[in-house]
């Protein structure tokens, strides 16, 4: 319960497919339908992937490992008291909180095609976690609709959230041309003690949900780049909806992170039938149009480099450090933190659902190309909470 509400976790633990009909309000409130159904073994499933990410963070804290992989993790959409986009418990937020016990600064990079909204929101107000998400723009209604270029963090966390919204058809060359300069500058100016990566494979060519055109090698190039820094990596999975390509991608990336050669010829195994007719590891990219222009990519790269330069230009912005080894959330963590004030609890119950924290800090000039809130199912935008509530 370092991040999620006790009530939400208790509900996930106790609800079954047989009993869910008795709790229609809770099922609705926690968004346990459509993308996020109740199913048998749900809680055990959550425990399993969260346990993997948490023990990975612990191994990094103890310096037992310098790279940890958990392809079952990476559930970046889950919120404090709400499931979203196939995510129930946010193992990424929990793992980052674990890393913060030892590391002053943790960097989160998200190369899933969807915006890493749950993680960004959790750390939106702190400067101890920098979040960087490359994703398909939400302007056309693409899920989850957040991750606007102007959403850059707030309060102590201002400029510590970075978003790179993109258009359909991203290819390897375009991706490398933005990833490397931005990440290089991030590593230089933020100097994280650990990096957490969400490596959703829905950003590769041929995904059933995604609309990009990355090869597996192009996707893996991001991990290979991160490996060149002498910083521990917690590598997590995420989305991916053409399943045979997800396993191809993560198998290749596992090999790359282990410095092992892996053949393009699929060896025989009991599921080899899924990989026909070619039985190859790598999949061809398509001839789809790349809607991202060179100018757009360059302009947005410069914008993020500019945002990062504000960090250096602001000597009064000090990193807020918790005491290493003490279970303590960073200052500004969790706008919806539990408090003893019942009025606050009521306020949250009424308003917290489906409004990304970035909405509170939206400036007039930033709203022009914001997503269509109605289209993507966001509830009414509400007044910003007062400083007391934050
Ligand atoms: Co995704």
């Amino acid at each position: 319960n370092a991040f999620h509400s006790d009530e939400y976790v208790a509900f996930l633990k106790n609800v079954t497919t047989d009993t869910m009909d008795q709790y229609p309000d809770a099922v609705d409130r926690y968004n346990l339908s459509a993308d996020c159904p109740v199913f048998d073994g749900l809680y055990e499933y959550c425990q399993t992937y969260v346990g993997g990410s948490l023990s990975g963070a612990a191994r990094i804290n103890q310096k037992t490992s310098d790279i940890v992989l958990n392809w079952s993790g990476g559930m970046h959409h889950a919120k404090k008291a709400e499931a979203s986009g196939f995510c129930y418990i946010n193992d990424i937020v929990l793992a980052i909180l674990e890393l913060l016990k030892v590391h002053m600064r943790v960097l989160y990079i998200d190369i899933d095609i969807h915006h890493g909204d749950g993680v960004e929101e959790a750390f939106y107000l702190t400067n101890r976690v920098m979040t960087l998400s490359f994703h398909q723009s939400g302007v056309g209604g693409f899920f989850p609709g957040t991750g606007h270029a102007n959403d850059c963090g707030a309060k102590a966390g201002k400029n510590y959230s970075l978003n790179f919204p993109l258009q359909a058809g991203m290819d390897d060359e375009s991706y490398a041309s933005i990833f490397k300069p931005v990440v290089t500058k991030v590593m230089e100016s933020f100097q994280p003690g650990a990096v957490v990566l969400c490596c959703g494979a829905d950003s590769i060519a041929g995904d059933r949900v995604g609309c990009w055109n990355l090869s597996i090698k192009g996707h893996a190039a991001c991990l290979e780049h991160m490996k060149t820094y002498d910083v521990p990596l917690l590598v997590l999975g995420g989305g991916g909806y053409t399943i045979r390509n997800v396993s191809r991608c993560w198998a290749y990336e596992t090999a790359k992170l282990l410095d092992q050669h892996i053949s393009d010829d699929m060896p025989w195994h009991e599921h080899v039938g899924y990989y026909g007719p070619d039985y190859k590891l790598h999949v061809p990219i398509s001839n789809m149009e790349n809607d991202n222009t060179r100018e757009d990519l360059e302009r947005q790269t410069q914008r993020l480099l500019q945002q990062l330069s504000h960090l250096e230009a602001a000597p009064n912005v000090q990193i807020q450090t918790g005491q290493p080894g003490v279970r303590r959330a960073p200052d500004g963590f969790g706008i919806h933190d539990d408090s003893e004030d019942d009025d606050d609890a009521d306020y949250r119950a009424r308003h917290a659902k489906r409004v990304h924290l970035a909405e509170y800090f939206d400036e007039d000039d930033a709203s022009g190309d914001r997503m269509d809130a109605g289209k993507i199912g966001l509830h009414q935008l509400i007044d910003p909470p007062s400083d007391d509530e934050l």
Side-chain angles (χ1 to χ4, degrees):
N1 63 359
F3 172 56
H4 295 282
S5 79
D6 294 345
E7 299 77 18
Y8 174 55
V9 175
F11 192 79
L12 288 181
K13 188 173 185 175
N14 294 309
V15 71
T16 67
T17 49
D18 293 332
T19 61
M20 62 180 288
D21 290 344
Q22 298 165 29
Y23 309 101
D25 291 348
V27 166
D28 178 58
R29 182 164 68 248
Y30 300 138
N31 198 31
L32 296 172
S33 54
D35 286 355
C36 308
V38 172
F39 59 87
D40 292 334
L42 167 60
Y43 192 70
E44 208 181 346
Y45 159 70
C46 291
Q47 285 180 306
T48 306
Y49 75 74
V50 172
S53 299
L54 274 179
S55 58
R59 289 187 71 87
I60 286 172
N61 283 351
Q62 293 155 3
K63 296 188 164 60
T64 321
S65 304
D66 53 1
I67 301 179
V68 182
L69 315 179
N70 177 19
W71 297 124
S72 302
M75 300 303 155
H76 59 168
H77 298 306
K79 309 298 181 337
K80 180 185 169 74
E82 187 187 334
S84 174
F86 311 111
C87 305
Y88 299 84
I89 297 287
N90 199 315
D91 61 302
I92 308 175
V93 170
L94 296 173
I96 291 173
L97 288 172
E98 186 69 23
L99 290 167
L100 287 173
K101 290 179 184 173
V102 168
H103 299 279
M104 285 219 292
R105 292 175 300 281
V106 175
L107 170 64
Y108 171 69
I109 302 179
D110 192 318
I111 61 169
D112 185 287
I113 196 172
H114 299 99
H115 177 232
D117 57 344
V119 184
E120 178 188 81
E121 181 171 40
F123 300 109
Y124 205 65
L125 306 179
T126 178
N127 55 14
R128 290 190 61 201
V129 179
M130 179 173 277
T131 60
L132 168 61
S133 178
F134 299 89
H135 49 267
Q136 174 70 16
S137 166
V139 172
F142 195 80
F143 185 87
T146 47
H148 188 278
N150 289 304
D151 295 342
C152 60
K155 303 213 164 219
K158 190 170 172 61
N159 292 321
Y160 289 82
S161 296
L162 298 111
N163 284 299
F164 206 130
L166 293 154
Q167 305 303 317
M170 274 303 283
D171 56 29
D172 292 353
E173 192 196 340
S174 300
Y175 208 86
S177 78
I178 60 173
F179 187 87
K180 286 185 184 165
V182 171
V183 166
T184 301
K185 179 75 175 174
V186 163
M187 294 300 286
E188 189 185 295
S189 48
F190 187 59
Q191 300 191 0
V195 180
V196 178
L197 288 146
C198 175
C199 302
D202 44 12
S203 41
I204 58 176
D207 189 78
R208 286 172 58 197
V209 170
C211 50
W212 287 359
N213 201 18
L214 298 183
S215 72
I216 289 172
K217 285 179 181 169
H219 192 269
C222 300
L223 279 72
E224 292 176 76
H225 181 74
M226 294 318 298
K227 198 166 172 280
T228 64
Y229 300 98
D230 191 21
V231 177
L233 302 178
L234 178 58
V235 178
L236 307 175
Y241 304 94
T242 300
I243 297 172
R244 59 188 181 278
N245 291 350
V246 178
S247 43
R248 284 174 156 122
C249 180
W250 292 345
Y252 179 74
E253 289 174 346
T254 301
K256 281 289 161 186
L257 290 171
L258 291 168
D259 295 321
Q260 297 292 309
H261 173 74
I262 185 169
S263 167
D264 191 32
D265 295 314
M266 193 76 61
W268 188 91
H269 61 292
E270 64 177 313
H271 303 296
V272 78
Y274 288 102
Y275 300 90
D278 57 317
Y279 304 100
K280 297 290 185 189
L281 180 66
H282 291 280
V283 290
I285 56 168
S286 81
N287 60 358
M288 78 185 291
E289 193 90 14
N290 185 351
D291 292 343
N292 300 277
T293 66
R294 193 59 258 156
E295 295 70 37
D296 273 354
L297 297 171
E298 183 57 28
R299 183 179 49 78
Q300 291 215 75
T301 300
Q302 289 306 324
R303 174 181 58 74
L304 287 183
L305 297 183
Q306 186 68 31
Q307 184 180 328
L308 287 162
S309 71
H310 290 319
L311 300 186
E312 295 165 322
N316 58 327
V317 176
Q318 296 213 323
I319 300 295
Q320 302 164 352
T321 59
Q323 294 296 311
V326 173
R327 182 178 282 280
R328 174 181 177 277
D331 290 347
F333 173 74
I335 178 186
H336 307 131
D337 250 3
D338 285 332
S339 94
E340 283 145 37
D341 188 336
D342 283 340
D343 289 346
D344 269 9
D346 285 351
Y347 178 90
R348 290 193 301 271
R350 279 181 282 117
H351 294 291
K353 190 181 175 192
R354 291 186 193 136
V355 179
H356 188 282
L357 186 50
E359 302 286 357
Y360 295 129
F361 299 95
D362 209 2
E363 287 159 25
D364 285 349
D365 63 346
S367 57
D369 52 350
R370 182 165 283 291
M371 65 284 182
D372 179 343
K375 204 170 182 176
I376 59 168
L378 282 172
H379 282 194
Q380 77 283 9
L381 304 185
I382 60 174
D383 292 335
S386 69
D387 275 10
D388 287 352
E389 286 164 330
L390 287 170

